[in-house]
Amino acid sequence: MEVTKVDKGSKAVRQAASRRDFLALSTAALLGGRTTLPSMAGVRAEQMKDETPRRDLAADPQRPRYHLMPPANWMNDPNGPIFWKGQYHMFYQHNPNGAFPENMHWGHAVSPDLVHWKHLPIALAPTPGGPDKDGCWSGCAVDDRGVPTIVYTGVFPQVQCIARSDDGMMTWRKHPGNPVIAAPPQGMETTGFRDPCVWREAGEWFLAIGSGIKGQGGMVLLYRSKDLIHWDYLHLLCKGRKDELLSGKDSVSTGEMWECPDFFPLADKHALIVSTQGAVIYSVGAYANRYFRPGAQGRADLGGCYYAARSVADEKGRRILWGWIREGRSDAAQRAAGWAGVMSLPRVLTLGHNGALGMAPAPEIEALRGKHQRFESLPIVPGSFSLLKSVRGDSLEIQAEFQPGACEAAGLTVRSAPDGKEQTSITYSRTSGQLLVERERSSLSLDVDRTSQGGPFTLAEDETLKLRVFLDASVIEIFANDRACLTSRVYPSRSGSLGLGLFARGDKALLKALDVWEMRPISPDRLTT
Ligand code: FRU
């Protein structure tokens, strides 16, 4: 069994240990008279056992109000988003037994509008003795001539399985012949073999799967099938080189294992998104003769809190992407909170400038806008600490346009205490060509990650800085000029850390316009039911 090594901290270690722990936990669960572990499929979300009372979850100030998340407990990767009969279905890696990454199930939610979500019964649970006995890991969902079909990874060892639904996705039956792919191609010593992405092309099914070779690099293997059951390995769809860095000024390595490949057409090109156990990187390039040749590359998100992104095409022909927003606090804090992990807002992908990936929040989110305030033409003088008196909140959409002039850096201060002792800066550094979230003072609590996050971002000579920022309790999602995203987490300890301010460093800057909306919650109880 391989051990995923970086990035997920305790999650990686837990996955490596999960077979052993699963057995121990099962015994403990039986001794304790609990029957929740072996199978949760078909159990309604509200019947699930968890330790934290719902009223505590619903009142938790760190728990978002307008992002999708499970009713309680752990989530990681988005799985199998599918547009089906006019609705968006989203699945996700989920542990219904606690806020820690073990014993993965597929949670399930549905939305008519990409914004308001309803929890549905858990779709997949490990089957004792089956090829997914130690977890139903990530994968995709496709429409097989009218039958919704999930293609996912069972562990351990990592094998590929399918499950189908005959009742509009309320229940799922696993294929009796699972696994449908029992091992990586012969002779390949892979670092992993998981997270299938399936599409239909020229009357056949194709499956891209995340993998890599130690000492060489990450790779995506390509398979072909007529029926989703019998698969032939073709070749590598694409491969990276260990220690290879992304193009441009980025210093992110493409790693040795590519998780969660997402491969899809985008305008007249194709895009491949992979998660490298460190970052989510994309390539927009050419797909011909069943090989993908990468072109423009970049990070789908410049923060360290966004991972395992997956997309779907909807009826409007848009390509919509979600990622898992990880926590930035200790395992103990996550368990105590009774929930961990959040789904990002949906992003609409386009072919951007210079062949790069364009990313913007789905316009549907604007339906949540409430009270609005607008400010125009405010000069920002370096050195002064000023908060906008009339604006406060941790559930806001902020749109700001800056003329950076000759400043070294400029941006917004969010989640600020009145005395500034807690505050987070969203910073465009003109001198270093970076977009950053500076979190050193984001919380007085020592238990949370307060390191800065960010990456390369530059403006053209005549370009203004256009930020769209979504604050939702501990979540911050930033879109800059429709081409860079940065997702982060902050956990201010004071209830009054709700201020919004502006700053410039080195020289003055100009705020051309600022719009702020209070965002309405998507449920009365922070999606706990
Ligand atoms: C990515 C990942 C996937 C795997 C899943 C397990 O975060 O490691 O590769 O299928 O999580 O939960």
Side-chain angles (χ1 to χ4, degrees), residues 444-508:
L444 294 172
S445 159
L446 301 179
D447 202 24
V448 303
D449 187 359
R450 289 171 301 159
T451 52
S452 285
Q453 297 181 316
F457 175 74
T458 46
L459 293 173
E461 196 99 316
D462 54 352
E463 211 182 359
T464 55
L465 171 68
K466 290 184 183 148
L467 293 179
R468 263 182 95 174
V469 177
F470 294 89
L471 301 184
D472 191 4
S474 50
V475 168
I476 301 181
E477 276 189 86
I478 303 161
F479 294 77
N481 294 59
D482 283 348
R483 63 172 183 268
C485 292
L486 203 173
T487 303
S488 191
R489 301 300 294 267
V490 293
Y491 305 88
S493 64
R494 292 188 183 172
S495 58
S497 294
L498 298 170
L500 175 66
L502 307 164
F503 70 89
R505 295 179 197 146
D507 199 351
K508 60 184 184 311

Side-chain angles (χ1 to χ4, degrees), residues 4 8 11 15 74 76-77 79 93 101 104 136-139 153 194-195 257-260 275 277 307-308 324:
T4 51
K8 286 180 221 125
K11 177 177 173 235
Q15 282 175 355
W74 172 270
N76 55 289
D77 313 356
N79 289 154
Q93 289 285 279
M104 287 303 167
C136 301
W137 282 17
S138 289
T153 298
R194 57 181 180 268
D195 313 334
M257 169 64 203
W258 285 355
E259 300 182 299
C260 303
S275 294
Q277 301 188 314
Y307 199 66
W324 159 39

Side-chain angles (χ1 to χ4, degrees), residues 266 269 271 282-285 295-299 349-359 482-484:
L266 191 67
K269 308 241 183 218
Y282 71 79
S283 309
V284 179
Q297 289 188 316
R299 269 197 267 173
L349 303 182
T350 49
L351 194 56
H353 185 60
N354 287 341
L357 196 63
M359 296 177 280
D482 283 348
R483 63 172 183 268

Side-chain angles (χ1 to χ4, degrees), residues 164-199:
R164 300 186 193 270
S165 177
D166 306 312
D167 58 1
M169 296 197 240
M170 295 308 279
T171 59
W172 296 82
R173 58 184 164 84
K174 294 179 184 172
H175 179 60
N178 278 342
V180 293
I181 308 181
Q186 238 181 352
M188 250 192 206
E189 287 287 320
T190 60
T191 48
F193 182 60
R194 57 181 180 268
D195 313 334
C197 164
V198 175
W199 68 94

